Amino acid sequence: MVKHIKIIDAHAHLWLKQDTEVNGKRISPLPNGRSMFMGEEVQMLPPFMIDGQNSAEVFISNMDYARVSAAVITQEFIDGLQNDYLKEVKMNYPDRFFVFGMADYRKPNWLEQANRLIVEGFLGIKIPAARLIGDDWRVYLNSAPMMQLMHTLEDKGLILHVELADGDTQVAELEDVIAECPNLRIVIGHFGMVTRSGWMEQIRLARHPNVYIECGGITWLFNDEFYPFPSAMKAIRQAADEVGIDKLMWGSDYPRTITAITYKMSYDFILKSDMLDEEEKEKFLSLNAQRLFGFKNLIDLPYIKNMSE
């Protein structure tokens, strides 16, 4: 009998209202789960989420159904700053969610914002670094203000979550951070943008003892291939062989990814694959994230039979 794993999702999003601007282009909700996204109408949410809200309560319902015990909530500029809402989420559901705070690093007072989030009790800070490269501007991860933030995170035992531009564009910058802050725990998102050239350069950063990789959005990146995502599994196997399975974690990138597949499908292809053994699957889907993010009271969710079975 296959052991039941208390699954942890290391990359998901929540918001009450997605209303913001990136590179001068608006992102705002439309009816039936759609959004106006930088000049294009897209299906941002599943169509049954008709009010545009991506709430913790709806996510918990999805988590319970898919038997996902806990989730890590990250942020992105395309969703707008959600710090106030995420503080409420963590307060209301402390055993289900770890939440990252995020400053607006495009604004002059971003360091003040980040320090305020730390004072307010966020245990991790998110930097969407790939969005900090413009046509005529750039915020470097190894700049003096950034290094000041990195040292603060390291000193306080907090976690940095970062998503890098494709390939090795920002790898050297993060190498500088790692060298100067060797005890700062760092999580790199989107599995190094695995379908882009040079993705393994990001994965190899996890050779450092304080660096981890999560695969949020891997089903989006391999969307053309679709379930059961054999190339995604090959990439996970390749990364595990390169840096060790202990440095890798599963993430869904909920809710955007479940416009194409169900939430359960976003990890089910891993459970059914023979490219990881049972011990590796438990580490990838649960134990690594549990250890890193400090989840203490993981809920054990029962299997509920589908009406259609």
Side-chain angles (χ1 to χ4, degrees):
M1 183 176 179
V2 177
K3 178 182 178 181
H4 171 59
I5 299 172
K6 293 182 180 180
I7 294 172
I8 298 173
D9 186 344
H11 184 128
H13 298 271
L14 294 174
W15 63 78
L16 284 186
K17 187 174 184 181
Q18 188 186 48
D19 189 8
T20 188
E21 184 176 296
V22 175
N23 296 332
K25 297 181 179 179
R26 294 295 305 166
I27 301 163
S28 55
L30 297 171
N32 301 328
R34 298 173 185 170
S35 289
M36 183 55 63
F37 182 75
M38 303 174 80
E40 179 184 14
E41 184 174 340
V42 300
Q43 192 72 46
M44 183 68 67
L45 298 168
F48 55 80
M49 295 167 73
I50 60 175
D51 59 2
Q53 290 193 3
N54 171 32
S55 70
E57 288 73 23
V58 171
F59 189 22
I60 287 173
S61 180
N62 273 284
M63 291 166 66
D64 289 353
Y65 174 71
R67 304 179 80 188
V68 174
S69 295
V72 177
I73 307 302
T74 188
Q75 298 196 56
E76 229 276 23
F77 286 159
I78 63 173
D79 301 328
L81 298 182
Q82 301 294 327
N83 297 310
D84 290 342
Y85 179 52
L86 295 187
K87 281 188 292 185
E88 293 181 15
V89 168
K90 181 60 177 174
M91 181 176 63
N92 292 334
Y93 308 104
D95 294 332
R96 301 302 297 268
F97 297 115
F98 180 104
V99 302
F100 278 95
M102 185 177 72
D104 191 341
Y105 308 97
R106 303 163 297 184
K107 300 292 180 61
N109 69 336
W110 70 260
L111 184 56
E112 178 185 337
Q113 293 178 41
N115 287 328
R116 189 183 312 121
L117 294 172
I118 292 169
V119 170
E120 290 174 354
F122 282 94
L123 299 180
I125 295 294
K126 166 65 178 292
I127 301 178
R131 302 228 183 248
L132 300 182
I133 303 175
D135 293 336
D136 56 358
W137 64 278
R138 181 165 175 172
V139 179
Y140 288 88
L141 293 172
N142 55 358
S143 66
M146 278 290 183
M147 283 300 193
Q148 185 177 336
L149 173 61
M150 304 304 180
H151 279 293
T152 300
L153 295 175
E154 181 185 37
D155 292 344
K156 294 183 176 296
L158 308 181
I159 301 174
L160 170 68
H161 185 209
V162 61
E163 289 160 3
L164 302 177
D166 294 357
D168 64 355
T169 303
Q170 295 169 306
V171 166
E173 296 171 40
L174 197 56
E175 285 276 16
D176 287 346
V177 172
I178 295 165
E180 188 157 328
C181 301
N183 296 314
L184 171 60
R185 292 172 295 169
I186 300 172
V187 180
I188 298 172
H190 292 318
F191 220 64
M193 294 301 291
V194 57
T195 54
R196 313 294 198 257
S197 177
W199 69 280
M200 281 299 293
E201 295 304 311
Q202 295 188 34
I203 300 298
R204 291 188 183 102
L205 289 170
R207 291 173 174 173
H208 296 281
N210 57 321
V211 180
Y212 300 80
I213 309 288
E214 49 87 347
C215 77
I218 199 168
T219 60
W220 150 60
L221 290 163
F222 286 100
N223 182 66
D224 290 346
E225 185 178 84
F226 206 65
Y227 187 90
F229 308 105
S231 295
M233 281 308 309
K234 290 178 183 176
I236 292 169
R237 180 72 266 168
Q238 182 180 350
D241 292 341
E242 185 74 20
V243 300
I245 195 66
D246 291 342
K247 307 307 291 292
L248 308 178
M249 299 175 290
W250 170 70
S252 69
D253 209 5
Y254 173 101
R256 283 177 274 270
T257 48
I258 65 165
T259 58
I261 59 175
T262 68
Y263 186 43
K264 183 178 180 181
M265 288 168 71
S266 64
Y267 72 80
D268 189 60
F269 73 99
I270 299 165
L271 280 179
K272 292 179 177 177
S273 173
D274 61 3
M275 298 190 74
L276 299 178
D277 63 30
E278 294 307 307
E279 181 181 358
E280 289 173 321
K281 290 175 184 177
E282 186 172 17
K283 288 181 176 180
F284 186 68
L285 292 168
S286 180
L287 296 182
N288 296 341
Q290 183 179 4
R291 181 179 67 253
L292 177 62
F293 295 106
F295 287 106
K296 302 295 185 184
N297 302 302
L298 289 178
I299 187 172
D300 191 6
L301 294 160
Y303 174 74
I304 304 298
K305 181 181 177 181
N306 285 325
M307 187 66 183
S308 58
E309 292 182 56

